[in-house]
Amino acid sequence: MTDASTQSAAHATAGHDSRGGEWWRTAVIYQIYPRSFADASGDGVGDLAGITGRLPQVAELGVDAIWLSPFYTSPQKDGGYDVADYRDIDPLFGTLDDFDRMLDAAHGLGLKVIVDLVPNHSSDQHEWFQAALAAAPGSHERSRYIFRDGKGSEGSLPPNNWQSVFGGPAWTRVPDGQWYLHLFDSSQPDFDWANPEVGDMFVDVLRFWLDRGVDGFRVDVAHGNVKAVGLPDVDAEMVEAGSMESPFFGQEDVHEIYRRWHEVLAAYDGDRVLCAEAWVSPLEKMARYVRPDEMHQAFNFVYLETPWDAARLRDVIDHSIRAFGEVGAPSTWVLSNHDTIRHRTRLALVPPPTHGAGIGPTSASKADPTVSLRRGRAATALMLALPGSAYVYQGEELGLPEVTAIEAHQRQDPTFHRTAGELWGRDGCRVPIPWEADAPAYGFSEAGASWLPQPPLWAELARDRQEGDAGSTLELYRSALALRAEHSLGSGELEWLDVGRTALAFRNGDITVVANLGHDAVDVPRGEIVLASSPLDSASLAADEVVWVRTH
Ligand code: NOJ
């Protein structure tokens, strides 16, 4: 790589001092999906006490914060994203005391704690929705949700053509003939944010958790709260062609909500943070959620959805840093979460699966296990060298693949059931994770119980098998996180180097990163190799390998 030439420079931190406050600008945040992390009660579902017990191992990984998916009172029709009481803990997960203990333990270990907030919809068991059902059409109680009369004679057709994200119509009829809107499962009625009571309630909820000491919120469906006036039909072709905005996602007025929340958080000490789950594109539109008076971070799903392709990755990295930088926000990077096929599998699937379909035992898309592990590790090594903040999803540090061997009757994702199995859904990335190779339920639950079946492969991937093994994925993550901190890569600047069409190389401070996404061998630059995503066989990089080299 002696002919390397500087291609472009991009700035991650837009003039902010990341060494001082605003920890979130450079943080690595570890996502815990409580149902599947660690089960202390022995019922096969993870819980808060289980999380507390395993926190030292999270801290040892070298992350800065944890984000917990919902643990609130919920009938669990959508893994807890159907909240019946925003101010309490579901007995499945424990109690408010358990929460306080978990929070104290995390803070004691130097970990910030972000909790999930679900403002687009509640559970149908929420007291407001129960009151709405008991009240008459046109009542005050119904005005907190989106109830409408149907179309057609006798109103027997839904009020418009919107479809649920999980499949099927987005409307369900109640016995008195009205319909209510649910962009997700029928057990998740959408709030009507035009009613100021809804906004006031959520400000109270924010304060409830801020007062308890949380460091921030991940905001579910942040692009969905506000619907277009008049609830017009979707013209799918026009939305696709970009000539019509979705009438239910990405409406301009959602930003008002986050400006208010920004003020709520700013009144608290410490750097409390709001992170948007906003599936909008292009990145400029996503960046609007993190303007200086709104949220702080947004998940970079454009990056997550980019295939393992050098040119496309370079493009999305540049575009992200530029788009977020223009509003003074850091870019985030994310490869896996509880809604997507684990990246260790996803990036190697042939043929690539249909977006959002998931994979199952009879899917045409398959990933070669060796290629997929190499590629998954390489993708992580690339991501963790980028300036900004990164999210890591529980189990990816073990190299867990997506689990496909889950029988229909064991599947719990409403996506699978609402589409009669046409879409596999997200259970495959939610299987309880393995801690100990030889323990019951691989150390997830002493009772040996697990709400989704764990595959035999979990033994060799268990954390205790990987600990101390220099070639393991766990140790790769640990080393990468330690080096990222040591070399301040999160607050660095990225400078591209030219290494041909199927590889990527950039400098970030004194680290040069080279990634080989093609088949031709790529030279490793001179210097000290401080990280290699796979053991290097020669002086050059083979396919699906990434190295970090200390160059000066
Ligand atoms: C996004 C969450 O991440 C997902 O798990 C959930 O099903 C939907 N929002 C609905 O809340």
Side-chain angles (χ1 to χ4, degrees):
M1 225 182 54
T2 42
D3 62 342
S5 62
T6 299
Q7 295 293 299
S8 65
H11 300 263
T13 49
H16 291 270
D17 178 4
S18 58
R19 286 164 302 174
E22 304 201 319
W23 59 273
W24 42 269
R25 287 184 174 274
T26 59
V28 178
I29 302 169
Y30 182 91
Q31 180 191 354
I32 292 181
Y33 190 68
R35 296 178 66 84
S36 305
F37 189 68
D39 169 28
S41 70
D43 62 359
V45 179
D47 46 42
L48 291 168
I51 294 171
T52 307
R54 295 286 190 189
L55 279 179
Q57 283 152 295
V58 175
E60 274 167 26
L61 203 55
V63 297
D64 304 292
I66 53 173
W67 147 40
L68 274 71
S69 283
F71 42 70
Y72 312 107
T73 314
S74 160
Q76 303 291 316
K77 292 281 172 50
D78 180 24
Y81 282 94
D82 47 323
V83 180
D85 184 346
Y86 289 89
R87 298 180 187 79
D88 208 349
I89 310 287
D90 196 277
L92 255 186
F93 300 119
T95 62
L96 280 168
D97 284 344
D98 290 328
F99 177 83
D100 292 341
R101 272 191 285 275
M102 186 280 302
L103 190 65
D104 281 353
H107 285 162
L109 290 162
L111 295 169
K112 307 276 188 193
V113 178
I114 293 174
V115 297
D116 220 307
L117 188 73
V118 190
N120 177 69
H121 47 266
S122 69
S123 157
D124 59 1
Q125 299 307 306
H126 190 281
E127 59 172 3
W128 277 8
F129 193 71
Q130 288 298 310
L133 288 181
S139 60
H140 169 73
E141 287 82 355
R142 287 214 172 166
S143 70
R144 295 155 170 162
Y145 293 90
I146 303 181
F147 279 86
R148 293 288 185 278
D149 293 330
K151 280 191 181 156
S153 64
E154 298 168 34
S156 58
L157 297 172
N160 67 23
N161 70 352
W162 297 2
Q163 295 293 298
S164 152
V165 173
F166 293 159
W171 295 91
T172 289
R173 202 170 192 194
V174 298
D176 60 38
Q178 277 208 310
W179 298 74
Y180 67 88
L181 177 71
H182 50 87
L183 291 181
F184 295 90
D185 188 50
S186 55
S187 64
Q188 294 168 293
D190 282 49
F191 284 113
D192 188 348
W193 274 83
N195 181 339
E197 254 190 278
V198 173
D200 291 347
M201 188 268 269
F202 274 100
V203 164
D204 286 349
V205 170
L206 287 173
R207 293 202 176 110
F208 177 87
W209 294 101
L210 289 166
D211 288 342
R212 287 198 109 80
V214 304
D215 300 287
F217 302 88
R218 173 264 189 193
V219 180
D220 190 63
V221 203
H223 54 315
N225 297 343
V226 174
K227 278 68 180 180
V229 174
L231 310 182
D233 275 351
V234 177
D235 182 330
E237 276 172 27
M238 286 174 74
V239 172
E240 191 74 18
S243 52
M244 180 189 177
E245 297 283 319
S246 158
F248 48 80
F249 283 151
Q251 292 289 307
E252 187 53 28
D253 287 354
V254 290
H255 297 289
E256 258 327 296
I257 300 171
Y258 306 128
R259 282 192 270 274
R260 183 174 180 200
W261 290 10
H262 184 100
E263 292 302 315
V264 173
L265 265 72
Y268 283 80
D269 61 354
D271 287 313
R272 318 267 181 135
V273 61
L274 292 165
C275 178
E277 190 225 15
W279 288 87
V280 292
S281 67
L283 280 154
E284 284 70 18
K285 186 156 187 180
M286 192 182 277
R288 292 170 69 78
Y289 288 77
V290 291
R291 287 174 291 187
D293 59 348
E294 294 194 35
M295 301 217 208
H296 305 83
Q297 292 189 333
F299 290 108
N300 190 342
F301 294 128
V302 182
Y303 180 72
L304 183 149
E305 292 189 312
T306 304
W308 188 238
D309 174 276
R312 292 181 65 177
L313 274 168
R314 176 170 168 159
D315 203 49
V316 74
I317 291 168
D318 269 344
H319 193 171
S320 304
I321 294 176
R322 191 173 58 243
F324 288 113
E326 272 165 12
V327 294
S331 184
T332 64
W333 311 104
V334 57
L335 288 166
S336 285
N337 65 28
H338 66 292
D339 290 330
T340 50
I341 298 173
R342 282 186 175 278
H343 76 269
R344 184 238 150 135
T345 300
R346 188 184 70 239
L347 293 172
L349 283 173
V350 188
T354 319
H355 174 80
I359 52 167
T362 58
S363 298
S365 302
K366 304 272 183 238
D368 175 271
T370 312
V371 174
S372 78
L373 184 58
R374 279 172 70 83
R375 197 169 285 178
R377 291 167 53 120
T380 297
L382 180 64
M383 176 180 86
L384 290 178
L386 295 172
S389 168
Y391 278 80
V392 169
Y393 174 50
Q394 68 178 36
E396 66 170 81
E397 76 280 17
L398 304 175
L400 299 189
E402 184 82 357
V403 178
T404 53
I406 304 174
E407 304 279 338
H409 73 270
Q410 295 166 319
R411 290 191 178 263
Q412 302 211 10
D413 184 351
T415 313
F416 180 79
H417 299 289
R418 286 184 63 90
T419 62
E422 200 182 307
L423 304 181
W424 290 101
R426 304 159 294 177
D427 292 314
C429 63
R430 299 175 174 179
V431 173
I433 63 172
W435 295 92
E436 292 152 41
D438 301 319
Y442 306 104
F444 165 68
S445 168
E446 268 181 37
S450 171
W451 68 280
L452 282 173
Q454 299 168 297
L457 179 68
W458 263 208
E460 69 190 67
L461 294 176
R463 181 167 171 136
D464 67 343
R465 283 278 170 90
Q466 300 198 33
E467 217 135 28
D469 171 356
S472 71
T473 305
L474 176 67
E475 296 301 341
L476 174 71
Y477 270 72
R478 273 193 183 149
S479 305
L481 289 165
L483 288 161
R484 179 185 163 88
E486 185 188 330
H487 294 271
S488 304
L489 301 183
S491 56
E493 289 174 14
L494 182 147
E495 182 190 332
W496 291 108
L497 306 168
D498 192 8
V499 276
R501 278 188 319 110
T502 57
L504 289 174
F506 59 84
R507 256 188 227 120
N508 181 354
D510 61 351
I511 297 294
T512 296
V513 177
V514 187
N516 188 355
L517 294 90
H519 297 293
D520 300 338
V522 174
D523 289 345
V524 175
R526 245 178 268 137
E528 182 197 352
I529 296 177
V530 291
L531 189 86
S533 65
S534 307
L536 295 184
D537 292 336
S538 67
S540 55
L541 276 188
D544 301 323
E545 283 180 349
V546 171
V547 278
W548 295 9
V549 181
R550 188 182 177 155
T551 39
H552 52 81

